[in-house]
Amino acid sequence: DIPPFPNCERLGRFSSDSDRLLCAETQAASNAPDRLIAALDLVRSWPPEHALYEEAEPLMQTWARDLLAIARSHVHRGQLSEATDMVAHIPPQAEVYEQAQHSLQVWQQEWERGSQIERQVQAAFNNRNWQDALDLSWGIKTFHTDYWVNQRFNHWQQQIAREQAAWKQLQDAQSLGASDQLNDWLEALQLAQTIDLRTRAWTTAQTDINRWSQKVMAYALQLVELGNLNQAIAIVQAVPPDLNLASEGQDLLRYGQAQKRVADLSVWEPKRTDVFNLMEAIAAVEPIQPDSALYAQAQSDLTQWRSRLQDLLRLQAATWVAALGQPAAYEFASQQAARVEANRPARGQAQTL
């Protein structure tokens, strides 16, 4: 009779070596590192005179080769500590033992040398010596592992190029911001606000953006005092919305941002963002108080925006109902669209339904 297969999940201290070997072979077939390590740890101490040695020895060679291959793949992904642990479990009697030890030595040397090069690259990078940083980064291109040759090398190439471009952009913005002309301030703001947020230049730019924004807001408030409200609103749309200002300046900034959102509304075919932009615009302008110079204009715009929002919500509901594809649904949608008055901005959108 064929003996029953052992329950590998319940092997105990009294289980036979043959059961243990059979379970190790079965589980190692998954090629999972922990299973290969467990299998190797089982047989590594068996002497040649062990009854199962001849059966276990070729299995041990296969497991050791497989574990070394997995260790290499981990190294190429930058996981040196995991790979080192795997190599430590390859027994000395394995044919790949010397190869594994040599590979480990090469990996450790590359990590030590790579870390040293990266410290030098980082120092040059911190000092904005872009060419020196690029030249130094090429030192890791001569390594053997993909982690250094590709991942880390590409990381530095991209980061240096990104930071260099960002600082050039900031310097151009600073040149414009040093002017005493409004148009130059506006251009400086536009340029600085498009700097890559991942860069150090972006962090440095915040002080400049705040200073130029304050200049623009002061100019815009003067226009409000002179009665040039529309021009002031147009100007402040270049200012970031989170600027810390006094109440009058805050009202003007909110109004400008609201106008910017309304300007993005579609004329014919409704967009999903239209409702959101109108709600944001309304919420921005509603806090403006009666004692503000912007109050009368804000109330007039609020009336129009609320009506337009109502029309858009009605058209959105009509569109969803019409999508049901039933005659009654089409009739309801047509009735809703017809309720949009001819003088409303959403009338053109209603006619497209």
Side-chain angles (χ1 to χ4, degrees):
D1 293 340
I2 299 175
F5 195 87
N7 186 341
C8 296
E9 299 301 324
R10 293 190 174 183
L11 290 178
R13 50 191 294 197
F14 299 111
S15 299
S16 65
D17 283 346
S18 60
D19 283 351
R20 293 178 184 278
L21 180 60
L22 183 58
C23 287
E25 182 180 4
T26 301
Q27 294 174 346
S30 68
N31 223 34
D34 58 333
R35 298 296 191 178
L36 290 170
I37 289 173
L40 286 168
D41 288 348
L42 171 66
V43 302
R44 68 184 300 147
S45 61
W46 289 1
E49 57 269 19
H50 191 285
L52 297 174
Y53 182 83
E54 291 187 6
E55 181 180 352
E57 202 274 338
L59 293 173
M60 182 265 294
Q61 300 295 349
T62 299
W63 298 335
R65 285 193 299 271
D66 292 345
L67 189 60
L68 178 57
I70 296 172
R72 284 200 183 98
S73 69
H74 276 67
V75 165
H76 287 308
R77 294 197 297 268
Q79 299 168 329
L80 177 63
S81 60
E82 292 86 343
T84 300
D85 182 62
M86 293 178 202
V87 169
H89 287 276
I90 296 177
Q93 62 269 36
E95 295 170 355
V96 296
Y97 177 78
E98 293 298 333
Q99 182 183 354
Q101 294 301 310
H102 174 72
S103 295
L104 179 59
Q105 184 179 16
V106 171
W107 301 337
Q108 291 172 334
Q109 289 173 348
E110 286 197 355
W111 250 256
E112 182 178 353
R113 177 59 180 151
S115 298
Q116 181 182 2
I117 291 175
E118 288 203 313
R119 286 193 294 271
Q120 295 172 344
V121 174
Q122 186 70 61
F125 179 86
N126 292 344
N127 292 323
R128 298 186 221 161
N129 296 328
W130 312 122
Q131 193 57 52
D132 287 350
L134 284 170
D135 291 343
L136 286 165
S137 70
W138 276 93
I140 58 181
K141 197 66 173 173
T142 61
F143 289 7
H144 296 87
T145 54
D146 289 343
Y147 172 70
W148 292 103
V149 174
N150 293 319
Q151 187 174 329
R152 295 309 298 166
F153 176 77
N154 291 339
H155 162 80
W156 283 112
Q157 293 288 305
Q158 293 167 8
Q159 186 170 353
I160 293 167
R162 182 167 57 239
E163 196 73 46
Q164 184 177 9
W167 279 103
K168 173 64 168 60
Q169 195 171 341
L170 177 56
Q171 288 167 357
D172 291 344
Q174 288 171 335
S175 296
L176 290 164
S179 166
D180 58 358
Q181 299 297 312
L182 172 66
N183 287 339
D184 288 337
W185 302 340
L186 295 175
E187 190 174 348
L189 277 173
Q190 182 180 15
L191 191 59
Q193 289 182 91
T194 58
I195 292 174
D196 195 317
L197 274 62
R198 297 169 293 178
T199 62
R200 297 182 178 185
W202 168 254
T203 303
T204 302
Q206 299 313 297
T207 301
D208 291 318
I209 290 173
N210 186 70
R211 184 172 67 254
W212 302 329
S213 296
Q214 297 286 356
K215 287 183 178 181
V216 171
M217 289 303 303
Y219 190 97
L221 288 171
Q222 289 179 358
L223 289 175
V224 173
E225 292 177 2
L226 294 172
N228 297 327
L229 179 58
N230 290 335
Q231 187 180 357
I233 292 172
I235 288 172
V236 300
Q237 292 180 28
V239 175
D242 55 351
L243 189 66
N244 187 18
L245 296 166
S247 59
E248 187 178 6
Q250 198 64 251
D251 286 345
L252 181 58
L253 181 58
R254 285 200 209 98
Y255 204 173
Q257 293 299 321
Q259 291 282 3
K260 190 174 183 179
R261 285 190 176 277
V262 173
D264 290 336
L265 298 179
S266 58
V267 177
W268 293 104
E269 184 177 352
K271 295 184 296 187
R272 294 182 179 180
T273 54
D274 286 350
V275 170
F276 174 76
N277 282 332
L278 269 174
M279 292 176 69
E280 287 289 301
I282 291 170
V285 174
E286 280 180 332
I288 296 177
Q289 298 299 308
D291 59 350
S292 170
L294 304 172
Y295 183 76
Q297 182 67 44
Q299 291 303 304
S300 175
D301 284 339
L302 272 174
T303 300
Q304 295 182 34
W305 296 346
R306 285 167 178 157
S307 296
R308 190 166 184 181
L309 177 60
Q310 182 181 21
D311 289 341
L312 285 178
L313 291 172
R314 180 178 289 124
L315 292 176
Q316 194 173 72
T319 301
W320 290 339
V321 172
L324 297 175
Q326 301 296 322
Y330 289 134
E331 179 64 23
F332 173 82
S334 297
Q335 291 173 357
Q336 291 298 308
R339 293 177 64 183
V340 179
E341 299 175 7
N343 61 341
R344 297 284 190 91
R347 178 66 177 181
Q349 296 173 341
Q351 292 176 332
T352 64
L353 292 179

